[in-house]
Amino acid sequence: MKICAAFLAGSMIAVRPAFSQRLYVSNEAGHSISVIDTRTHRVIRTIPVSERARGIAVSPDGRRVYVALSDDVPMRESAGDRIAVIDAVSGRILSLYRSGSDPEQFGVTPDGRRIYASNEDAGTASAIDVATGRVIASMIVGIEPEGVAVSPDGRWAYVTAETSNTVSVIDTRANKVVSSFLVDIRPRAAAFSPDGKRAYVSAEVGGSITVVDVSRHEPIASIPLERGEGKPVGIVVSHDGKWLYAANGRTGTVSVVDLAKHEVIATIRVGRRPWGIALSRDGSTLYTANGLSNDVSVIDVASRKVTATVKVGERPWGVAVSAR
Amino acid sequence: MTKLFRPQPSDPSSIACHHGYRRLRSNHDGFSRTLFSMGSHTFAWGRRVGSGPRFALSTRVETETWSMRVNRRAFVRSCAGAAGALLVPWPRPVPTLRFAIVQIADGRTFGDGAALGYAEARQAATLFQKGTIEAVHVFHDALPVKVAGIATLLAKRGAQVIVAGLNDADTRTAALECDRAGAIFINCGARNDTLRRETCSPFVFHVEASNAMYETARGLAPAGTELTLWSDRLEKYGAAQLNDRFRVAEGAGMRSDDWGGWMAIKVVWESFLRTGKADAVSIASYMSTDGVAFDGHKGVPLSFRTWDHQLRQPLYAVSQSSSAPPREIPDTSRTAGSIRELLDALGEGASEMKCPR
């Protein structure tokens, strides 16, 4: 008993200073969230949720995990359509925010006070006040809205729409759509550069990344992936803004894009149908959620090699990294 | 009998109003009608049900009259919308894209898909302040009438695009009329290969697959399957979302012809928004540009072949006896090479199809 206690205490001391990051993976068909310890690459907890879990993000203060849940009732908001608020440490579901119909992806403002969510089947985006959990605005965007990204200064929310091939620009001060622009066909995710000057939009069927000048809300270039045969869905920009990593769902690869040259410089084979992609806080490791192989690929950024594969729930969709 | 999607003002999430259209059905005088009211625009067609005198194909179907008959409030709303539009100052004239949708009895029934396409076209256009989209008129009837003259008339009335689901002979007539009138003709009904050679024109496009495409695909398809452009059982690549939207709007699964009507309208409104031009020459030229592709929820880029303006697309082998998922023909997920080349294996190649353009 004593030995055991001593061992426990020892291990706690050993572990605590290097508190490892956690990965949160939404399992769309599994109706659950897998929590992975990034040091051991083990699933340390599985949090059941009531519905299809898709978009997932950690609050800027790292205390909460938000997950978009939607049921199969098309075209209207129903009880299953919610954003779940999960305590990042205990894994307990703290509340279920209303979010409009069929929430798919969302972005959190850098101050952590607001969430912008796309309502896929309603053709709208909803602004949610985090303090009250209430929908404070609903805006008409393109048809079949999907990806949401909030600019680093919190001023703009970009919402992509898959059928209309558009990005709607929401001014977060007014909660109004102030501009729209066309991108390559079937846009999925959007991401801003760390300086907020550029945004990038993946086009799944177009097989490209559209580069957007944020000051004018206008596309300025298109980067073909894998000679146009890439099928980018999730994208993430490196913390220094030099690289973009795109998860090509249909080809089971991650394209590494040099953002200075607008060129693909490497392609990494991962699991089957990677959609969600996230970068560790130190920028050394990439993670993809592989929907058809039901696992997460762990990629070493420096060597561009998959170093581990972690089994998760059924049809993993998105992946988010904890704040520390 | 009546199906409505009405926004609940108290609920901010419902303002989308399901892509902005309301749908009503009425068969009070023996015609089953569908009516879409979108702001100041109303879009309607009817289908003769039951027996009795047949509904003559008319160019005088005034949609407002219909809406008054069907629903007075919808009409009032339409007028209010029109009055509101007049009060808003508009900085400069905007290009207006005008569609006409033509369908008669022995053609293919694609009208419901075209309706969804039209509603989505209008919704997409509202995102941009550089153009508007209108439907000139819609012919939808159970009567095989003479099509001759219809396309010419529609073009004279300002339709830049005529989307039609007609038989081979009527497709030929209407397509040649469009060629002469300088209006875009999109064939959603005829599969005939000879017709494609005869109507070869910068303005004529085919969304329906050719017989040659179906024949090639037949050799690759399992026995006991029907070859289609679409199936309401498809799920991947956004197919589930399109099928859901259609089911909610129309109360039925999206059939192959519905997809054709929807797609025909989508390629046009997308070309219109991308070029910012509403004239037939600009739109037709964009649609046939090598490298321009469209998304039809089939997971691969769809484009028109430069040599015959046939839409490059995979077909689906749908089992008639089981609810098995449709099989994509050719299987684009298994190619390491060019999907475009793979799709061109269906139907006639450039060398077989010489277009004297």
Side-chain angles (χ1 to χ4, degrees):
Chain A
M1 193 70 180
K2 241 180 199 171
I3 295 166
C4 189
F7 175 78
L8 262 176
S11 67
M12 279 171 86
I13 289 159
V15 169
R16 222 185 200 157
F19 179 83
S20 57
Q21 254 175 25
R22 287 174 179 188
L23 271 189
Y24 301 93
V25 181
S26 57
N27 300 306
E28 183 180 9
H31 293 191
S32 65
I33 310 302
S34 302
V35 185
I36 298 169
D37 181 319
T38 58
R39 193 174 45 88
T40 62
H41 296 146
R42 288 219 171 133
V43 175
I44 53 170
R45 179 180 283 131
T46 300
I47 307 163
V49 292
S50 52
E51 302 287 346
R52 297 162 65 201
R54 295 192 288 177
I56 186 162
V58 176
S59 65
D61 65 7
R63 291 166 59 192
R64 293 166 164 192
V65 180
Y66 301 115
V67 185
L69 305 178
S70 57
D71 61 19
D72 292 325
V73 180
M75 304 302 208
R76 65 184 172 83
E77 185 180 354
S78 48
D81 294 335
R82 291 289 184 267
I83 288 182
V85 183
I86 298 170
D87 185 285
V89 177
S90 72
R92 214 159 50 83
I93 295 174
L94 303 173
S95 48
L96 294 165
Y97 288 171
R98 280 187 67 174
S99 56
S101 172
D102 197 19
E104 174 154 10
Q105 288 195 39
F106 57 88
V108 186
T109 54
D111 63 10
R113 291 161 71 174
R114 235 182 256 162
I115 293 171
Y116 288 87
S118 62
N119 304 117
E120 187 176 37
D121 66 11
T124 57
S126 300
I128 299 146
D129 179 57
V130 169
T132 61
R134 290 222 170 117
V135 174
I136 52 170
S138 181
M139 295 144 280
I140 293 177
V141 294
I143 305 166
E144 210 184 326
E146 159 105 11
V148 182
V150 177
S151 61
D153 62 2
R155 180 70 201 278
W156 312 109
Y158 277 16
V159 183
T160 72
E162 292 172 273
T163 298
S164 52
N165 307 314
T166 51
V167 172
S168 295
V169 180
I170 294 170
D171 178 344
T172 59
R173 290 186 195 161
N175 278 337
K176 284 207 165 101
V177 174
V178 292
S179 180
S180 297
F181 56 89
L182 287 154
V183 291
D184 202 355
I185 57 178
R186 204 153 195 87
R188 300 289 301 254
F192 283 86
S193 61
D195 64 8
K197 289 182 178 162
R198 294 279 179 273
Y200 304 95
V201 181
S202 61
E204 188 182 17
V205 172
S208 71
I209 303 292
T210 302
V211 184
V212 182
D213 177 351
V214 176
S215 67
R216 292 181 294 148
H217 303 305
E218 267 178 30
I220 50 168
S222 175
I223 309 169
L225 300 185
E226 317 306 321
R227 294 172 303 283
E229 308 285 344
K231 300 283 170 192
V233 179
I235 52 175
V236 63
V237 180
S238 65
H239 305 317
D240 60 8
K242 288 183 179 167
W243 311 99
L244 179 140
Y245 306 99
N248 295 300
R250 203 167 168 175
T251 56
T253 57
V254 169
S255 300
V256 182
V257 180
D258 180 333
L259 289 176
K261 292 182 183 161
H262 287 183
E263 265 176 28
V264 175
I265 53 136
T267 304
I268 306 160
R269 182 149 292 283
V270 295
R272 289 175 62 212
R273 207 208 72 178
W275 275 4
I277 186 165
L279 191 61
S280 64
R281 299 281 160 179
D282 65 4
S284 69
T285 316
L286 273 170
Y287 305 96
T288 60
N290 310 319
L292 294 182
S293 47
N294 294 336
D295 51 26
V296 167
S297 296
V298 180
I299 304 153
D300 177 53
V301 169
S303 66
R304 296 179 189 137
K305 290 219 160 73
V306 173
T307 54
T309 301
V310 187
K311 278 279 163 204
V312 291
E314 207 183 327
R315 214 171 342 131
W317 195 99
V319 55
V321 178
S322 67
R324 53 185 180 129
Chain B
M1 157 174 163
T2 301
K3 188 174 171 189
L4 279 180
F5 296 113
R6 203 183 292 281
Q8 301 300 316
S10 59
D11 180 2
S13 70
S14 67
I15 62 168
C17 188
H18 308 296
H19 307 304
Y21 65 91
R22 289 176 287 280
R23 182 190 161 120
L24 303 112
R25 276 184 191 277
S26 160
N27 59 359
H28 62 96
D29 56 359
F31 290 97
S32 159
R33 288 202 181 92
T34 304
L35 181 145
F36 290 85
S37 167
M38 302 190 57
S40 60
H41 293 273
T42 308
F43 171 63
W45 67 74
R47 179 187 293 141
R48 188 78 173 88
V49 291
S51 56
R54 285 185 153 175
F55 179 20
L57 190 63
S58 159
T59 59
R60 304 282 307 161
V61 177
E62 292 301 334
T63 53
E64 284 77 11
T65 312
W66 285 38
S67 78
M68 197 155 59
R69 266 198 229 156
V70 177
N71 183 317
R72 193 174 294 275
R73 284 174 66 187
F75 175 64
V76 170
R77 260 198 302 275
S78 295
C79 293
L86 288 174
L87 294 174
V88 177
W90 202 270
R92 59 187 147 73
V94 291
T96 299
L97 179 68
R98 293 186 190 85
F99 282 105
I101 297 163
V102 181
Q103 172 175 303
I104 59 168
D106 56 348
R108 312 286 289 276
T109 54
F110 72 122
D112 289 345
L116 182 67
Y118 178 72
E120 295 189 350
R122 298 269 307 158
Q123 194 198 353
T126 59
L127 299 173
F128 300 91
Q129 294 175 354
K130 59 185 181 189
T132 57
I133 294 175
E134 290 172 4
V136 167
H137 273 303
V138 179
F139 300 98
H140 179 105
D141 186 30
L143 183 68
V145 291
K146 237 173 66 193
V147 160
I150 293 294
T152 306
L153 186 72
L154 287 166
K156 272 190 191 151
R157 293 185 62 172
Q160 299 99 322
V161 183
I162 293 164
V163 177
L166 300 169
N167 64 22
D168 290 354
D170 287 340
T171 299
R172 182 180 293 105
T173 304
L176 293 174
E177 276 184 31
C178 282
D179 178 53
R180 280 193 295 273
I184 294 171
F185 179 86
I186 305 187
N187 164 29
C188 293
R191 298 179 177 184
N192 192 297
D193 296 311
T194 312
L195 162 81
R196 280 161 170 72
R197 292 191 192 89
E198 290 170 352
T199 60
C200 177
S201 148
F203 294 107
V204 177
F205 295 84
H206 308 276
V207 165
E208 171 61 288
S210 63
N211 272 333
M213 288 169 75
Y214 282 104
E215 276 160 29
T216 324
R218 175 49 56 209
L220 303 165
T225 56
E226 186 196 359
L227 286 164
T228 64
L229 303 182
W230 189 253
S231 161
D232 61 357
R233 286 185 223 156
L234 289 166
E235 290 192 349
K236 285 203 273 187
Y237 316 121
Q241 282 75 15
L242 178 60
N243 277 326
D244 277 351
R245 293 207 294 273
F246 186 85
R247 204 169 277 119
V248 167
E250 306 299 335
M254 189 177 216
R255 298 159 312 154
S256 193
D257 294 341
D258 292 317
W259 181 86
W262 175 86
M263 188 64 197
I265 289 180
K266 187 174 190 236
V267 297
V268 175
W269 67 253
E270 201 173 313
S271 304
F272 169 58
L273 292 179
R274 286 195 191 275
T275 58
K277 290 177 182 162
D279 65 282
V281 173
S282 300
I283 293 174
S285 141
Y286 179 82
M287 281 167 61
S288 49
T289 301
D290 200 18
V292 162
F294 302 91
D295 176 38
H297 294 232
K298 292 191 172 195
V300 290
L302 311 181
S303 53
F304 290 100
R305 290 172 183 156
T306 49
W307 56 89
D308 60 357
H309 286 185
Q310 172 68 56
L311 188 71
R312 254 183 209 104
Q313 57 181 319
L315 303 179
Y316 298 100
V318 183
S319 169
Q320 290 155 308
S321 56
S322 79
S323 60
R327 174 113 47 110
E328 186 194 28
I329 311 282
D331 185 347
T332 61
S333 67
R334 289 185 189 277
T335 178
S338 157
I339 285 180
R340 188 180 152 129
E341 281 171 26
L342 183 74
L343 294 179
D344 279 346
L346 292 189
E348 296 188 317
S351 55
E352 300 154 89
M353 174 74 207
K354 285 272 186 281
C355 186
R357 206 168 281 134

